Amino acid sequence: MERRLTWINLFMGLLIMMLGFSCQEEQPSPPNIVFIFSDELQFEDLGCYGGSIPTPNIDRLAAEGLRFTKAYTVASMCTPSRYALLTGQYPGRCAHPAFLEDTSAEAPYNVGWNSFLDENTYTIPRMLSGQGYLTGMAGKWHLGPHYDSVEAEVAGLKNLDTPEADATLRRFQRWCQEAVRKGGGFDVVNSVMYSNFDGFPAEQLHYHHFPWITAGAISFLEKAAVSEKPFFLMVTPTSLHGPHHVAGLNRDYQYTPGGRRPEVRAYNLDTKALWQVVDTMASPMAHRTAGLAFLDHQVGQILELLEQKGLEEETLIVFVPDHNTEPAKATCYEKGIHIPMIVRWPGQVPAGATTDARVQLTDWMGTLAEIVGAPPASPDSKSFLTVLKEPETEGRTYTFAESGYTRSVSDGRYKYIAFRYPDSLLQQMKNGTLEYAPNVFGQYWQGQSIIAARFYPHYFDANQLYDLENDPYEQYNLANDPAYADALARMKTTLQRHLSDFQRPFPMAYDAFRDGEAFGRLKKATLRLDPNSIPWYKRDWGEIEWPPPTKH
């Protein structure tokens, strides 16, 4: 009897082990993750959203994945939108000294190009590294201040075709790579631009360099393909931001911000053929056509490499820009914060699907945390993994945004924007020290603000309420209409609750001076600023029609 029990026990133990192994085998492996985080796109730029300029590789992502119609950034500027994506937090929570010093301790945060990262910031790469991922980055950073001494040496270069120039550029690139590794928490950083190409210290390189960025991305993927770890790659192209994309045609791409690199020319597209297409176009259309050609070509090369390495079926790909474009860049208006987004994840995300679920860039950290089994991330980040797998699932009830001294909340039907000056600026306007109404950043001159104030008639209003269903271009402020008092109260309460745990206060009350004639005269002084005086405005945009003659 005792021997029989021994055999039964042994059999049961083996059965439990087999069942255990079976359960383990059924657990899906963590996916590789590629984020293609482009720079400044509108829906009509992409063929899969109805655009007229060919984007076949991006359209392929949409055909094989999920296309979002209600995705939002939380700040329609490069730096804070990138901060939000990488941290899962609103930019107003940034703890970097440069951000905290930008406004007084008693004033609301001034959210602009100032929400930087450092080695103390918890980011998506740091989270994924903790889950065994190899992490990498290539492209535009724009999340840290410039302070390296070699930058002045780069600015002084006259001839790039010398050993001295090559050594200087390589040294500056190593400094940039190290700064991004520390700030973002990446394992590998290749081909990194610290800000925009037209802000690079050496004027000879003030043009977009897609082949160099692509080479950096491909180099990481080649390394990741032979690693036993899953990988995360963040590629940040510079399209369609300035400088003018046609200026990048017919360049010798061996000269890069990282020194002389002849091998990167292999990643270029056929610029001669592209030049024949854009040569007769007006400047704004040529800019967008060339930029989208470079961008789409880069996406195609990344897809091709993943296929060559047999990685396409196990890789989650996200294509999304940091924000939308003029006339609402650097504002909380829909045109600035409403963004296209595509997710391709074979076997997990249905192909060719569309979702109307409302999501924000902050939500990617929570979503990735759920996918890889990481601890819960920032409370600002709400996972939408269910939406990825079941596109008909609802997303957020409310979306939020920040820009300068404005904050907004929307439920999809109504949008409320609060614009609150710090007391110091109000006093200067009242006593006549300021002879103009500052823009949302507390300034007189700022390009995007000059444009937005021209096209949004209630830009300077302290309280703004818009019915997005009937007024999608936000031209009619309903905040003072008694018929919408309940909607206004609900949205104000929601925004106040959202902001209640931020370190510095954002007042819902406002000074009656904002409603008077004196402030009206100051507004007129600011509105005399002409967008056509902005060097890149006519060149890159031409005549903006807003509201547009037809809905897109």
Side-chain angles (χ1 to χ4, degrees):
M1 180 69 177
E2 185 176 333
R3 186 177 179 183
R4 182 182 175 191
L5 287 173
T6 301
W7 279 106
I8 291 174
N9 292 341
L10 179 61
F11 175 76
M12 293 299 295
L14 288 171
L15 181 61
I16 291 170
M17 288 177 63
M18 291 174 64
L19 289 172
F21 283 130
S22 175
C23 291
Q24 288 176 10
E25 290 173 357
E26 291 176 2
Q27 295 297 319
S29 300
N32 303 313
I33 304 165
V34 175
F35 259 80
I36 304 172
F37 194 44
S38 190
D39 196 340
E40 195 169 281
L41 286 179
Q42 51 191 353
F43 287 87
E44 51 266 44
D45 288 330
L46 307 176
C48 56
Y49 282 99
S52 59
I53 299 173
T55 52
N57 292 299
I58 299 171
D59 296 350
R60 176 189 163 190
L61 289 177
E64 298 174 356
L66 176 62
R67 184 167 55 90
F68 283 74
T69 65
K70 299 291 176 61
Y72 288 85
T73 184
V74 300
S76 55
M77 297 159 278
C78 294
T79 301
S81 63
R82 291 159 196 263
Y83 176 93
L85 172 68
L86 283 169
T87 67
Q89 292 187 322
Y90 296 101
R93 298 197 193 278
C94 181
H96 194 282
F99 179 78
L100 298 177
E101 293 168 4
D102 208 34
T103 45
S104 69
E106 295 77 27
Y109 294 118
N110 187 350
V111 178
W113 291 267
N114 54 1
S115 49
F116 302 140
L117 299 181
D118 59 28
E119 59 268 27
N120 299 314
T121 312
Y122 188 60
T123 61
I124 285 176
R126 289 190 169 96
M127 176 185 74
L128 294 177
S129 290
Q131 299 300 309
Y133 273 72
L134 176 69
T135 64
M137 188 265 178
K140 175 179 170 179
W141 182 236
H142 218 171
L143 280 162
H146 287 243
Y147 45 78
D148 187 59
S149 59
V150 76
E151 187 174 352
E153 297 179 45
V154 175
L157 295 176
K158 303 301 181 185
N159 180 7
L160 300 184
D161 197 21
T162 67
E164 294 77 17
D166 183 64
T168 299
L169 287 168
R170 287 176 184 269
R171 189 163 70 253
F172 184 52
Q173 177 64 193
R174 287 193 296 270
W175 174 83
C176 292
Q177 291 170 340
E178 183 59 24
V180 172
R181 270 194 293 268
K182 288 176 63 177
F186 296 93
D187 298 315
V188 180
V189 177
N190 299 324
S191 304
V192 65
M193 278 294 295
Y194 216 57
S195 57
N196 297 312
F197 276 102
D198 50 4
F200 190 72
E203 290 187 15
Q204 302 96 315
L205 292 168
H206 281 194
Y207 56 88
H208 295 270
H209 207 311
F210 273 81
W212 177 63
I213 294 175
T214 303
I218 296 299
S219 175
F220 172 82
L221 290 173
E222 299 245 355
K223 178 178 180 178
V226 297
S227 170
E228 295 182 356
K229 295 182 175 182
F231 63 80
F232 168 76
L233 171 64
M234 183 173 178
V235 189
T236 53
T238 53
S239 230
L240 289 171
H241 200 287
H244 203 285
H245 281 282
V246 174
L249 295 174
N250 304 323
R251 298 282 185 168
D252 187 348
Y253 285 105
Q254 69 175 316
Y255 299 104
T256 81
R260 190 166 177 263
R261 299 273 306 280
E263 71 276 11
V264 308
R265 292 182 292 191
Y267 298 102
N268 196 20
L269 49 65
D270 187 346
T271 53
K272 290 183 179 179
L274 179 57
W275 176 254
Q276 292 177 350
V277 172
V278 302
D279 185 33
T280 59
M281 290 180 174
S283 179
M285 181 54 73
H287 168 64
R288 308 198 77 72
T289 301
L292 286 168
F294 278 113
L295 175 61
D296 192 75
H297 182 67
Q298 184 178 68
V299 172
Q301 289 176 301
I302 292 170
L303 290 174
E304 182 179 357
L305 191 282
L306 292 173
E307 291 170 1
Q308 288 175 356
K309 300 298 182 182
L311 299 169
E312 71 274 15
E313 293 300 314
E314 55 199 69
T315 301
L316 186 164
I317 301 177
V318 180
F319 177 87
V320 65
D322 53 1
H323 53 80
N324 208 303
T325 63
E326 273 73 18
K329 181 177 175 179
T331 74
C332 291
Y333 294 117
E334 291 289 291
K335 176 63 175 173
I337 62 175
H338 188 197
I339 53 176
M341 186 167 78
I342 303 166
V343 179
R344 178 184 181 270
W345 189 9
Q348 299 292 330
V349 170
T354 300
T355 180
D356 296 327
R358 295 161 54 77
V359 300
Q360 298 183 162
L361 284 185
T362 49
D363 297 334
W364 269 113
M365 176 171 263
T367 303
L368 295 179
E370 184 174 0
I371 289 173
V372 304
S378 162
D380 293 340
S381 186
K382 311 297 183 185
S383 173
F384 58 93
L385 179 57
T386 304
V387 173
L388 292 180
K389 297 186 175 186
E390 302 173 19
E392 294 183 0
T393 306
E394 291 187 3
R396 280 178 167 265
T397 303
Y398 295 103
T399 54
F400 301 92
E402 308 175 340
S403 181
Y405 295 119
T406 60
R407 310 288 186 265
S408 74
V409 58
S410 173
D411 64 1
R413 171 67 187 273
Y414 294 107
K415 160 83 78 64
Y416 171 65
I417 300 176
F419 181 1
R420 301 291 187 267
Y421 288 116
D423 288 340
S424 58
L425 284 179
L426 278 170
Q427 292 305 316
Q428 291 179 64
M429 285 187 277
K430 289 179 178 180
N431 63 27
T433 305
L434 289 181
E435 298 179 350
Y436 60 90
N439 58 39
V440 298
F441 300 105
Q443 304 168 353
Y444 178 59
W445 177 274
Q446 197 279 318
Q448 282 78 27
S449 298
I450 293 170
I451 297 168
R454 178 64 58 94
F455 289 99
Y456 289 90
H458 301 284
Y459 176 94
F460 289 102
D461 290 6
N463 291 310
Q464 302 171 41
L465 180 70
Y466 300 101
D467 180 347
L468 298 178
E469 185 174 299
N470 297 303
D471 178 26
Y473 307 112
E474 294 161 297
Q475 299 291 294
Y476 304 101
N477 184 4
L478 304 173
N480 295 319
D481 188 332
Y484 295 89
D486 289 344
L488 177 65
R490 176 170 59 86
M491 301 304 283
K492 289 181 74 171
T493 298
T494 302
L495 182 60
Q496 188 170 25
R497 187 184 307 119
H498 163 69
L499 296 171
S500 63
D501 65 346
F502 281 63
Q503 186 176 346
R504 294 186 191 171
F506 188 90
M508 285 295 107
Y510 74 101
D511 197 306
F513 172 80
R514 300 282 294 277
D515 296 328
E517 293 182 5
F519 184 68
R521 289 192 294 270
L522 298 179
K523 285 193 299 184
K524 289 181 180 178
T526 306
L527 288 170
R528 283 196 288 268
L529 293 171
D530 184 3
N532 292 315
S533 63
I534 303 168
W536 47 263
Y537 175 66
K538 292 285 283 186
R539 182 197 68 194
D540 294 357
W541 290 98
E543 295 292 340
I544 292 179
E545 292 186 87
W546 193 262
T550 57
K551 267 192 176 183
H552 293 288

